[in-house]
């Protein structure tokens, strides 16, 4: 599968989140063989501030792989990760983060700042703008309906 196909899988989860009344963010974790091993969507409205799409996908991948270390895996998420989610990606030892829409207010993979440019003991590669127009549109449509 291509980067765009993985992001399209994350977009489907974002749309599912929107239908449930959640901010439409979706994420998948892909292993080094190209298999989707974790899936997640925002669930914060279920009364859990930590239930971001990335956290859900990382938890799912860890469960499916039987290890909290996700070395060699990549995270695909429709919106740039916040500090909590970027920290989880770092602690899970992910190799790369791919995101769609930039978040200039809370994103820490280049939007507000780039956590992974800091002198950390492990490096995570970051790639932004994957299917960005589609990712932005899902968010914009959701918030148009809220206003």
């Amino acid at each position: 599968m291509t980067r765009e196909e993985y992001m399209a899988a994350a977009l489907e989860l974002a749309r599912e989140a929107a239908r449930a009344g959640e901010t439409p963010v979706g994420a998948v974790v892909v292993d080094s063989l190209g298999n989707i091993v974790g899936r997640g969507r925002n669930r914060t409205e279920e009364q859990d501030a930590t239930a971001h799409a990335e956290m859900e996908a990382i938890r799912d991948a860890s469960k499916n792989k039987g290890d909290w270390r996700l070395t060699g895996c990549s995270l695909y998420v429709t919106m740039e990760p916040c500090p909590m989610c970027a920290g989880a990606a770092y602690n899970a030892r992910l190799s790369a983060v791919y995101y769609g829409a930039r978040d200039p207010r809370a994103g820490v993979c280049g939007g507000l700042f780039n956590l992974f440019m800091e002198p950390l003991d492990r490096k995570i590669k970051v790639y932004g703008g994957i299917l960005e127009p589609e990712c932005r549109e899902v968010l914009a449509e959701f918030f148009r309906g809220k206003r």
Side-chain angles (χ1 to χ4, degrees):
M1 290 178 70
T2 66
R3 292 177 181 177
E4 291 76 16
E5 289 170 314
Y6 294 125
M7 190 61 73
L11 270 165
E12 282 306 309
L13 291 162
R15 291 183 184 103
E16 183 181 311
R19 288 190 296 274
E22 298 278 355
T23 300
V25 179
V28 297
V29 174
V30 177
D31 70 11
S32 60
L33 299 175
N35 302 305
I36 294 177
V37 294
R39 297 173 188 274
R41 67 165 177 84
N42 273 6
R43 295 180 188 275
T44 56
E45 296 300 326
E46 294 176 18
Q47 308 310 310
D48 183 353
T50 68
H52 289 196
E54 301 95 323
M55 303 292 284
E56 297 279 311
I58 289 168
R59 285 184 192 118
D60 191 41
S62 294
K63 183 179 121 200
N64 290 332
K65 292 187 67 63
D67 194 348
W68 63 269
R69 293 171 194 86
L70 299 176
T71 307
C73 293
S74 298
L75 175 70
Y76 287 78
V77 59
T78 58
M79 191 165 89
E80 181 181 358
C82 72
M84 175 181 67
C85 294
Y90 174 79
N91 285 322
R93 292 173 166 66
L94 290 170
S95 298
V97 172
Y98 297 84
Y99 68 87
R102 179 165 282 197
D103 183 359
R105 291 181 289 165
V108 297
C109 294
L112 184 60
F113 67 90
N114 189 340
L115 175 69
F116 302 120
M117 295 295 292
E118 299 301 316
L120 302 170
D121 67 341
R122 287 185 306 282
K123 295 294 181 193
I124 295 180
K125 296 174 184 166
V126 176
Y127 306 91
I130 313 297
L131 296 184
E132 183 174 10
E134 294 91 332
C135 293
R136 282 198 181 291
E137 181 54 32
V138 168
L139 288 161
E141 182 179 315
F142 177 78
F143 286 111
R144 272 194 301 270
K146 293 284 186 191
R147 295 184 176 117

